Amino acid sequence: MISFLKHIVIVIAILFISAVGLDRIYSSLLTRPSTDSPLKKAFSYSNQEWDIVFFGSSRVVNNIDCSIISKLTGKSCLNMGSMGSTLKNDAFLFEVLLSNNNAIRDAFFQVDYKYNDFSLGSHFKADLIPFTGRELVDQYLKDEQGNALLWDIPFYRYMINDKVIGIRKVLVPIAGLFGKDAKSGYKPLDGEGVLINVSLPDNYERNINSDLYEKARGATNVNLNYFTAPFCEEIKNREAMLSLNNLFDSYINYATLYDSNQEYFNDCLHLNRLGSKNFSEKIAEDIIRRRWSSLTLKSE
Protein backbone atom coordinates (compact mmCIF):
# COMPACT_ATOMS: atom_id res chain seq x y z
CA MET A 1 0.00 0.00 0.00
CA ILE A 2 2.81 2.40 0.92
CA SER A 3 4.57 1.58 -2.33
CA PHE A 4 1.38 2.30 -4.23
CA LEU A 5 0.95 5.66 -2.50
CA LYS A 6 4.55 6.58 -3.24
CA HIS A 7 3.92 5.72 -6.87
CA ILE A 8 0.84 7.96 -6.92
CA VAL A 9 2.75 10.83 -5.32
CA ILE A 10 5.57 10.49 -7.85
CA VAL A 11 3.10 10.49 -10.77
CA ILE A 12 1.32 13.55 -9.39
CA ALA A 13 4.65 15.33 -8.85
CA ILE A 14 5.77 14.54 -12.41
CA LEU A 15 2.46 15.76 -13.82
CA PHE A 16 2.62 18.97 -11.79
CA ILE A 17 6.22 19.71 -12.75
CA SER A 18 5.36 19.01 -16.39
CA ALA A 19 2.36 21.33 -16.18
CA VAL A 20 4.52 24.09 -14.67
CA GLY A 21 7.08 23.63 -17.43
CA LEU A 22 4.48 23.67 -20.18
CA ASP A 23 2.88 26.75 -18.62
CA ARG A 24 6.22 28.56 -18.78
CA ILE A 25 6.81 27.47 -22.38
CA TYR A 26 3.32 28.67 -23.34
CA SER A 27 3.93 31.99 -21.57
CA SER A 28 7.27 32.44 -23.33
CA LEU A 29 5.57 31.96 -26.71
CA LEU A 30 3.01 34.62 -25.83
CA THR A 31 5.67 37.08 -24.68
CA ARG A 32 8.00 36.72 -27.66
CA PRO A 33 9.03 40.17 -28.96
CA SER A 34 6.89 41.19 -31.92
CA THR A 35 4.86 44.09 -33.24
CA ASP A 36 1.55 42.25 -33.38
CA SER A 37 0.24 44.21 -30.37
CA PRO A 38 0.82 47.63 -28.77
CA LEU A 39 1.60 45.88 -25.49
CA LYS A 40 4.51 43.88 -26.93
CA LYS A 41 5.72 46.98 -28.77
CA ALA A 42 5.73 48.91 -25.50
CA PHE A 43 7.79 46.23 -23.76
CA SER A 44 10.20 46.02 -26.70
CA TYR A 45 11.10 49.72 -26.78
CA SER A 46 13.98 50.97 -24.64
CA ASN A 47 16.30 53.99 -24.68
CA GLN A 48 14.40 55.66 -27.51
CA GLU A 49 13.05 59.18 -27.94
CA TRP A 50 9.86 60.51 -29.53
CA ASP A 51 8.56 64.02 -29.82
CA ILE A 52 4.94 62.87 -30.09
CA VAL A 53 3.21 59.69 -28.93
CA PHE A 54 -0.52 58.99 -29.35
CA PHE A 55 -2.51 56.73 -27.02
CA GLY A 56 -6.12 55.62 -27.32
CA SER A 57 -8.54 53.09 -28.73
CA SER A 58 -9.31 52.10 -32.33
CA ARG A 59 -10.12 55.78 -32.82
CA VAL A 60 -6.34 56.32 -32.67
CA VAL A 61 -5.38 53.09 -34.47
CA ASN A 62 -7.63 53.90 -37.43
CA ASN A 63 -7.50 57.71 -37.35
CA ILE A 64 -3.91 58.80 -36.67
CA ASP A 65 -1.25 58.45 -39.39
CA CYS A 66 2.06 59.31 -37.76
CA SER A 67 3.87 59.40 -41.12
CA ILE A 68 1.77 62.43 -42.10
CA ILE A 69 2.25 64.13 -38.74
CA SER A 70 6.02 63.59 -38.84
CA LYS A 71 6.23 64.87 -42.40
CA LEU A 72 4.31 68.07 -41.63
CA THR A 73 5.77 68.85 -38.21
CA GLY A 74 9.28 67.50 -38.68
CA LYS A 75 8.86 65.65 -35.36
CA SER A 76 9.17 61.96 -34.55
CA CYS A 77 5.79 60.34 -33.93
CA LEU A 78 4.59 57.02 -32.53
CA ASN A 79 1.05 55.59 -32.65
CA MET A 80 0.44 53.44 -29.55
CA GLY A 81 -3.29 53.03 -30.13
CA SER A 82 -4.82 49.81 -28.82
CA MET A 83 -8.14 48.36 -29.99
CA GLY A 84 -10.83 48.75 -27.32
CA SER A 85 -8.48 50.67 -25.07
CA THR A 86 -9.59 52.36 -21.85
CA LEU A 87 -7.90 55.06 -19.77
CA LYS A 88 -6.28 52.40 -17.62
CA ASN A 89 -4.88 50.61 -20.71
CA ASP A 90 -3.41 53.83 -22.05
CA ALA A 91 -1.88 54.69 -18.68
CA PHE A 92 -0.20 51.28 -18.54
CA LEU A 93 1.33 51.59 -22.03
CA PHE A 94 2.48 55.12 -21.18
CA GLU A 95 4.10 53.95 -17.94
CA VAL A 96 5.79 50.97 -19.63
CA LEU A 97 7.40 53.24 -22.23
CA LEU A 98 8.71 55.62 -19.58
CA SER A 99 9.88 52.84 -17.25
CA ASN A 100 12.06 51.42 -20.04
CA ASN A 101 14.11 54.64 -20.23
CA ASN A 102 12.28 55.98 -23.26
CA ALA A 103 11.85 59.74 -23.59
CA ILE A 104 8.60 61.39 -24.74
CA ARG A 105 8.16 65.11 -25.19
CA ASP A 106 4.40 65.29 -25.78
CA ALA A 107 1.88 62.52 -25.06
CA PHE A 108 -1.57 62.75 -26.68
CA PHE A 109 -4.47 60.77 -25.18
CA GLN A 110 -7.69 60.30 -27.14
CA VAL A 111 -10.63 60.49 -24.71
CA ASP A 112 -14.31 59.97 -25.47
CA TYR A 113 -17.20 57.79 -24.25
CA LYS A 114 -14.56 55.32 -23.02
CA TYR A 115 -13.82 57.89 -20.31
CA ASN A 116 -16.64 56.33 -18.31
CA ASP A 117 -14.99 52.90 -18.45
CA PHE A 118 -13.03 52.31 -15.23
CA SER A 119 -11.84 48.81 -16.17
CA LEU A 120 -8.66 47.48 -17.68
CA GLY A 121 -10.64 45.89 -20.51
CA SER A 122 -10.99 42.13 -21.03
CA HIS A 123 -8.77 41.92 -24.12
CA PHE A 124 -5.98 44.03 -22.66
CA LYS A 125 -6.12 42.14 -19.37
CA ALA A 126 -5.78 38.87 -21.28
CA ASP A 127 -2.77 40.28 -23.15
CA LEU A 128 -1.14 41.15 -19.83
CA ILE A 129 -1.52 37.67 -18.34
CA PRO A 130 1.66 36.14 -19.86
CA PHE A 131 3.65 39.02 -18.36
CA THR A 132 2.55 38.39 -14.76
CA GLY A 133 5.44 38.44 -12.32
CA ARG A 134 6.60 41.85 -13.51
CA GLU A 135 5.98 44.43 -10.82
CA LEU A 136 4.13 46.93 -13.00
CA VAL A 137 1.91 44.24 -14.56
CA ASP A 138 0.99 42.77 -11.19
CA GLN A 139 0.23 46.24 -9.89
CA TYR A 140 -2.29 46.92 -12.69
CA LEU A 141 -3.82 43.44 -12.50
CA LYS A 142 -4.21 43.48 -8.70
CA ASP A 143 -7.82 44.69 -8.78
CA GLU A 144 -8.73 42.75 -11.93
CA GLN A 145 -7.66 39.16 -11.33
CA GLY A 146 -10.08 37.92 -8.66
CA ASN A 147 -8.49 35.21 -6.50
CA ALA A 148 -4.79 35.81 -7.12
CA LEU A 149 -3.77 32.55 -5.44
CA LEU A 150 -5.50 30.52 -8.16
CA TRP A 151 -3.36 32.26 -10.78
CA ASP A 152 -0.37 30.24 -9.58
CA ILE A 153 -2.06 27.04 -10.77
CA PRO A 154 -0.57 26.12 -14.19
CA PHE A 155 -2.77 27.34 -17.06
CA TYR A 156 -5.56 28.56 -14.76
CA ARG A 157 -5.11 32.22 -15.74
CA TYR A 158 -5.19 31.23 -19.41
CA MET A 159 -8.18 28.97 -18.99
CA ILE A 160 -10.41 31.70 -17.57
CA ASN A 161 -9.40 34.01 -20.42
CA ASP A 162 -9.38 31.41 -23.20
CA LYS A 163 -12.09 33.13 -25.26
CA VAL A 164 -9.91 36.22 -25.53
CA ILE A 165 -6.45 34.65 -25.83
CA GLY A 166 -7.00 31.54 -27.97
CA ILE A 167 -4.46 29.90 -30.25
CA ARG A 168 -4.20 33.01 -32.43
CA LYS A 169 -2.15 34.81 -29.78
CA VAL A 170 0.44 32.04 -29.99
CA LEU A 171 0.54 31.73 -33.77
CA VAL A 172 0.85 35.42 -34.59
CA PRO A 173 4.33 36.02 -33.12
CA ILE A 174 5.57 32.59 -34.24
CA ALA A 175 4.46 32.46 -37.84
CA GLY A 176 3.41 36.02 -38.60
CA LEU A 177 -0.08 34.76 -39.37
CA PHE A 178 -3.42 36.53 -39.35
CA GLY A 179 -2.68 39.93 -40.78
CA LYS A 180 0.04 42.41 -41.47
CA ASP A 181 2.74 43.63 -39.15
CA ALA A 182 1.39 46.40 -36.93
CA LYS A 183 4.68 48.20 -36.35
CA SER A 184 3.40 51.59 -37.52
CA GLY A 185 0.38 51.37 -35.23
CA TYR A 186 -1.82 52.90 -37.94
CA LYS A 187 -4.43 50.67 -39.60
CA PRO A 188 -6.53 52.64 -42.11
CA LEU A 189 -10.10 51.65 -42.92
CA ASP A 190 -11.57 51.71 -46.42
CA GLY A 191 -15.14 52.44 -47.43
CA GLU A 192 -17.49 55.21 -46.33
CA GLY A 193 -20.78 56.16 -44.78
CA VAL A 194 -21.71 53.06 -42.76
CA LEU A 195 -23.95 54.38 -40.01
CA ILE A 196 -23.90 52.87 -36.53
CA ASN A 197 -26.81 53.41 -34.17
CA VAL A 198 -24.84 54.51 -31.13
CA SER A 199 -25.86 56.81 -28.30
CA LEU A 200 -23.03 58.25 -26.22
CA PRO A 201 -23.29 58.74 -22.44
CA ASP A 202 -25.26 61.80 -21.38
CA ASN A 203 -22.80 62.70 -18.62
CA TYR A 204 -19.18 62.21 -17.65
CA GLU A 205 -17.90 61.94 -14.10
CA ARG A 206 -14.25 62.19 -13.20
CA ASN A 207 -12.39 58.91 -13.82
CA ILE A 208 -9.70 58.36 -11.19
CA ASN A 209 -7.71 56.36 -13.76
CA SER A 210 -6.81 59.64 -15.44
CA ASP A 211 -4.61 60.27 -12.39
CA LEU A 212 -2.48 57.35 -13.58
CA TYR A 213 -1.18 59.56 -16.40
CA GLU A 214 0.23 62.00 -13.86
CA LYS A 215 1.57 59.13 -11.76
CA ALA A 216 3.28 57.54 -14.76
CA ARG A 217 4.78 60.85 -15.81
CA GLY A 218 6.44 61.20 -12.43
CA ALA A 219 9.40 63.55 -12.48
CA THR A 220 9.77 63.46 -16.27
CA ASN A 221 9.06 66.48 -18.43
CA VAL A 222 6.40 64.81 -20.58
CA ASN A 223 3.57 67.16 -21.53
CA LEU A 224 0.09 65.62 -21.28
CA ASN A 225 -2.38 66.57 -24.02
CA TYR A 226 -5.89 65.29 -24.68
CA PHE A 227 -8.32 65.28 -27.59
CA THR A 228 -11.55 63.72 -28.82
CA ALA A 229 -11.57 62.37 -32.38
CA PRO A 230 -14.50 63.10 -34.74
CA PHE A 231 -17.87 61.38 -34.61
CA CYS A 232 -20.41 61.41 -37.41
CA GLU A 233 -23.32 63.83 -37.06
CA GLU A 234 -25.86 61.05 -36.36
CA ILE A 235 -24.23 60.09 -33.06
CA LYS A 236 -26.41 61.12 -30.11
CA ASN A 237 -25.25 63.00 -26.98
CA ARG A 238 -22.04 64.36 -28.46
CA GLU A 239 -22.71 67.64 -26.70
CA ALA A 240 -22.31 65.95 -23.30
CA MET A 241 -18.64 65.46 -24.16
CA LEU A 242 -18.11 69.20 -23.77
CA SER A 243 -17.83 68.53 -20.04
CA LEU A 244 -14.44 66.91 -20.74
CA ASN A 245 -13.16 70.47 -21.11
CA ASN A 246 -13.51 70.76 -17.35
CA LEU A 247 -11.59 67.55 -16.69
CA PHE A 248 -8.41 68.23 -18.68
CA ASP A 249 -6.20 71.30 -18.84
CA SER A 250 -4.88 70.79 -22.36
CA TYR A 251 -7.79 69.44 -24.39
CA ILE A 252 -9.29 69.87 -27.88
CA ASN A 253 -12.70 68.48 -28.88
CA TYR A 254 -12.91 67.45 -32.55
CA ALA A 255 -16.21 65.56 -32.13
CA THR A 256 -18.12 67.75 -34.63
CA LEU A 257 -15.21 68.52 -36.97
CA TYR A 258 -16.58 66.60 -39.95
CA ASP A 259 -20.33 67.10 -39.62
CA SER A 260 -20.40 68.19 -43.27
CA ASN A 261 -18.09 65.42 -44.46
CA GLN A 262 -19.84 62.07 -44.14
CA GLU A 263 -17.52 60.79 -46.88
CA TYR A 264 -14.69 60.89 -44.33
CA PHE A 265 -16.27 58.16 -42.17
CA ASN A 266 -15.98 54.41 -42.43
CA ASP A 267 -18.65 54.25 -39.73
CA CYS A 268 -19.91 56.75 -37.19
CA LEU A 269 -17.05 56.05 -34.78
CA HIS A 270 -14.11 55.69 -37.19
CA LEU A 271 -12.71 57.67 -40.08
CA ASN A 272 -11.82 55.99 -43.34
CA ARG A 273 -8.50 56.33 -45.14
CA LEU A 274 -9.42 59.72 -46.64
CA GLY A 275 -10.78 60.99 -43.33
CA SER A 276 -7.78 59.83 -41.32
CA LYS A 277 -5.45 61.56 -43.80
CA ASN A 278 -7.37 64.80 -43.40
CA PHE A 279 -7.58 64.43 -39.61
CA SER A 280 -3.86 63.66 -39.28
CA GLU A 281 -3.14 66.81 -41.29
CA LYS A 282 -5.46 68.76 -38.97
CA ILE A 283 -3.71 67.37 -35.88
CA ALA A 284 -0.32 68.31 -37.37
CA GLU A 285 -1.57 71.82 -38.14
CA ASP A 286 -2.81 72.28 -34.57
CA ILE A 287 0.47 70.96 -33.17
CA ILE A 288 2.38 73.50 -35.25
CA ARG A 289 -0.01 76.23 -34.10
CA ARG A 290 0.43 74.98 -30.51
CA ARG A 291 -3.32 74.84 -29.87
CA TRP A 292 -2.79 72.56 -26.87
CA SER A 293 -1.87 74.71 -23.89
CA SER A 294 0.91 72.41 -22.64
CA LEU A 295 2.66 71.93 -25.99
CA THR A 296 6.35 72.68 -26.22
CA LEU A 297 6.72 71.70 -29.87
CA LYS A 298 7.61 74.31 -32.43
CA SER A 299 7.65 74.02 -36.19
CA GLU A 300 11.08 73.83 -37.68
Side-chain angles (χ1 to χ4, degrees), residues 25-248:
I25 292 172
Y26 188 70
S27 297
S28 69
L29 292 175
L30 289 171
T31 56
R32 286 183 58 171
S34 73
T35 56
D36 68 285
S37 77
L39 177 61
K40 291 182 182 179
K41 285 200 307 181
F43 279 124
S44 70
Y45 290 132
S46 63
N47 301 305
Q48 298 195 42
E49 297 182 7
W50 298 281
D51 294 310
I52 306 165
V53 179
F54 288 92
F55 299 89
S57 65
S58 57
R59 285 164 44 78
V60 166
V61 176
N62 303 138
N63 293 355
I64 301 295
D65 186 347
C66 266
S67 66
I68 291 176
I69 294 173
S70 290
K71 180 179 179 180
L72 295 178
T73 64
K75 302 297 181 181
S76 57
C77 177
L78 177 67
N79 184 325
M80 284 299 296
S82 177
M83 306 298 277
S85 185
T86 64
L87 267 68
K88 200 171 183 179
N89 301 171
D90 297 337
F92 179 84
L93 293 174
F94 180 45
E95 189 163 358
V96 167
L97 288 180
L98 293 180
S99 65
N100 288 343
N101 296 314
N102 296 296
I104 301 171
R105 179 174 293 183
D106 281 275
F108 289 82
F109 298 92
Q110 202 282 139
V111 292
D112 50 33
Y113 62 94
K114 284 283 188 177
Y115 184 83
N116 283 349
D117 189 340
F118 287 73
S119 74
L120 192 57
S122 59
H123 282 79
F124 195 81
K125 182 175 74 172
D127 284 345
L128 279 178
I129 287 173
F131 297 93
T132 53
R134 304 189 185 196
E135 183 179 355
L136 184 60
V137 174
D138 291 345
Q139 176 187 329
Y140 271 77
L141 283 174
K142 184 172 64 175
D143 299 325
E144 304 269 348
Q145 61 187 11
N147 191 336
L149 294 177
L150 293 176
W151 282 46
D152 292 329
I153 299 175
F155 290 103
Y156 173 81
R157 61 196 186 282
Y158 295 117
M159 179 183 68
I160 61 176
N161 290 279
D162 181 64
K163 289 184 179 180
V164 179
I165 298 176
I167 192 64
R168 181 186 184 280
K169 295 288 187 180
V170 180
L171 293 178
V172 168
I174 295 176
L177 301 177
F178 302 102
K180 298 180 180 179
D181 182 276
K183 187 174 183 179
S184 71
Y186 169 59
K187 298 179 181 178
L189 298 174
D190 292 307
E192 65 177 71
V194 180
L195 301 180
I196 295 180
N197 185 21
V198 175
S199 180
L200 301 179
D202 56 13
N203 66 82
Y204 294 86
E205 298 181 3
R206 184 176 175 278
N207 189 330
I208 59 173
N209 287 327
S210 62
D211 293 341
L212 294 174
Y213 301 147
E214 292 283 354
K215 175 180 174 293
R217 176 171 65 171
T220 68
N221 294 319
V222 184
N223 298 304
L224 305 182
N225 307 283
Y226 306 88
F227 70 100
T228 297
F231 290 100
C232 80
E233 193 172 9
E234 285 76 10
I235 291 286
K236 300 176 182 178
N237 294 334
R238 291 184 306 172
E239 66 282 355
M241 214 167 289
L242 293 174
S243 62
L244 294 177
N245 282 300
N246 302 320
L247 300 173
F248 300 106

